[in-house]
Amino acid sequence: MTASGSKVSEQRAPYGREVTGEELLQHPEWGRCELIRGEVIWMSPSGGRHVLIAGRIITYLGIHVLEHGLGEVLGSEGGIYIELNPDTVRAPDLMYVSRIRIPKDGFPEGYLRFAPDLAVEVLSPSDRMKD
């Protein structure tokens, strides 16, 4: 339920059809979610320990990458296209892209259309290895 008392699903992504990565990007009000073969998958907020671990990895890796001019470390809000038609967009807890792989015109406004050199997902106790 939202603060106004309405069900969250009523304000979220359309049902009964595939959603594209572009549509997902155009709807930040849908909240934290990923796209699996066109289906919006809602993600609950991470717990404190999960966020602490991810934050430390981002910090330590980010300092190392910055000090050595190796590329960029990206946080958990970024998405990557894994497959197209139907679209799958995943958002790992952090990504590293080496300097030589950063597009000449910089990072896109939308989701990445290339694999990062490293993608890290911190598992929470409720995560299933299969997922």
Side-chain angles (χ1 to χ4, degrees), residues 71-91:
E72 296 291 343
V73 174
L74 309 173
S76 64
E77 296 302 314
I80 312 166
Y81 280 100
I82 303 296
E83 58 186 340
L84 301 171
N85 300 319
D87 294 349
T88 295
V89 175
R90 301 297 290 219

Side-chain angles (χ1 to χ4, degrees), residues 61-109:
L61 181 60
I63 289 169
H64 177 78
V65 166
L66 183 63
E67 285 179 348
H68 298 282
L70 301 175
E72 296 291 343
V73 174
L74 309 173
S76 64
E77 296 302 314
I80 312 166
Y81 280 100
I82 303 296
E83 58 186 340
L84 301 171
N85 300 319
D87 294 349
T88 295
V89 175
R90 301 297 290 219
D93 289 314
L94 66 113
M95 298 179 273
Y96 161 71
V97 178
S98 62
R99 184 183 70 236
I100 61 172
R101 296 195 59 237
I102 295 173
K104 299 235 184 286
D105 55 348
F107 287 98
E109 288 294 321

Side-chain angles (χ1 to χ4, degrees), residues 4-72:
S4 65
S6 63
K7 290 183 178 177
V8 173
S9 62
E10 293 172 352
Q11 298 181 5
R12 300 288 179 133
Y15 293 98
R17 69 174 182 83
E18 291 178 355
V19 174
T20 67
E22 290 302 316
E23 286 178 299
L24 183 66
L25 188 63
Q26 297 302 315
H27 290 282
E29 74 276 8
W30 291 352
R32 189 178 151 103
C33 55
E34 292 182 327
L35 195 60
I36 309 296
R37 289 178 219 88
E39 180 183 351
V40 176
I41 305 298
W42 312 117
M43 310 202 33
S44 61
S46 300
R49 186 165 181 81
H50 178 110
V51 175
L52 174 67
I53 292 167
R56 284 185 178 168
I57 296 170
I58 289 170
T59 299
Y60 299 145
L61 181 60
I63 289 169
H64 177 78
V65 166
L66 183 63
E67 285 179 348
H68 298 282
L70 301 175
E72 296 291 343

